[in-house]
Amino acid sequence: MPVASQPPVAEAISRALATLDLDSVRATYWAQNEFIHLDRLFPETVVAPMVDEVERGRAGINRNYIPRHKKGGSVSYYTLREQAPAILTLYRSPAFLDFIRRVTGAPVERCPESDPHACALYYYTEPGDHIGFHYDTSYYKGTRYTVLLGLVERSSSRLVCQLHKDDPAREVRELALATEPGTLVLFHGDKLWHKITPLGENEERVSLTLEYVTDPGMTPVKRFVSNMKDAIAYFGFRSVFGRRGTRRLSDASPGIGAAGNARARRGD
Ligand SMILES: [Fe+2]
């Protein structure tokens, strides 16, 4: 049963966004090659119910390990839309969508309901959990934008960002950020080269990501690659292709094997 929105959370999201100097945010976003980091943007009234949903989501974590690239746990949109009303309130917030559009200048939409990545939680809970450098490659016809929201930060892990990596004319600028609860990061998926450094002993880090695209169309070949990436690197085959998912195994063609893994490493 899909969850209903939470009006107090929606109102607090709108209020937090209304406090921003949008011209300044937009200028910084563009000066940083379509990347911005807003420290503790959202208050406790927004973050606390989401942290409760992080706790509830633990039962549904899918752990995965791709040698030399990533190790960690994920909970997909399929699960969140059934049991995470505060998180879904943010993803479906008209005020938040308007904010993304105004900062990026792009006519973005939410991803299709069939995309398990549309809105997902990433759990770094075991020593060494990490993800290596990558772009958030778009498998859609349109441009992909990623929002990352910190929810639990009890770690020495850092979101390391290399700005201007895609521009040979510019010097790369590296940032190492702690994603504290309520801290928001927004970036163009093809422009930000980024990673999460390994978790230490007795540490924990949980973040939420939201995905937006300018055109949700996808070619059959890219749908196949995207499905396999999500199944192998994130949510598991049962979640992506099973009863709760809306994708079918027949969406994927045979022969993925190592090629799929290689491409998965380029993904999020
Ligand atoms: Fe990423």
Side-chain angles (χ1 to χ4, degrees), residues 48-122:
M50 294 185 182
V51 172
D52 289 344
E53 292 166 7
V54 164
E55 295 306 315
R56 283 205 292 278
R58 286 180 196 275
I61 294 174
N62 185 72
R63 297 255 334 151
N64 44 66
Y65 172 51
I66 297 177
R68 297 188 301 280
H69 179 60
K70 82 185 284 283
K71 184 166 83 74
S74 314
V75 170
S76 77
Y77 178 53
Y78 302 155
T79 300
L80 296 183
R81 71 184 170 195
E82 291 178 2
Q83 64 182 46
I87 287 172
L88 267 289
T89 296
L90 175 62
Y91 191 48
R92 294 171 177 166
S93 161
F96 192 62
L97 184 62
D98 183 60
F99 166 75
I100 303 294
R101 288 175 174 167
R102 291 171 74 182
V103 173
T104 62
V108 295
E109 301 285 350
R110 293 189 298 272
C111 289
E113 287 292 304
S114 59
D115 188 341
H117 252 299
C119 169
L121 285 169
Y122 300 100

Side-chain angles (χ1 to χ4, degrees), residues 134 136 194 268:
H134 63 281
D136 282 5
H194 60 287
D268 1 8

Side-chain angles (χ1 to χ4, degrees), residues 131-132 134-137 144 146 148 159 187 189 192 194-196 209 234 267-268:
I131 182 165
H134 63 281
Y135 290 108
D136 282 5
T137 307
R144 170 184 169 177
T146 298
L148 190 155
L159 168 64
F187 60 91
L192 187 72
H194 60 287
K195 70 175 180 179
I196 303 289
T209 67
Y234 289 93
D268 1 8

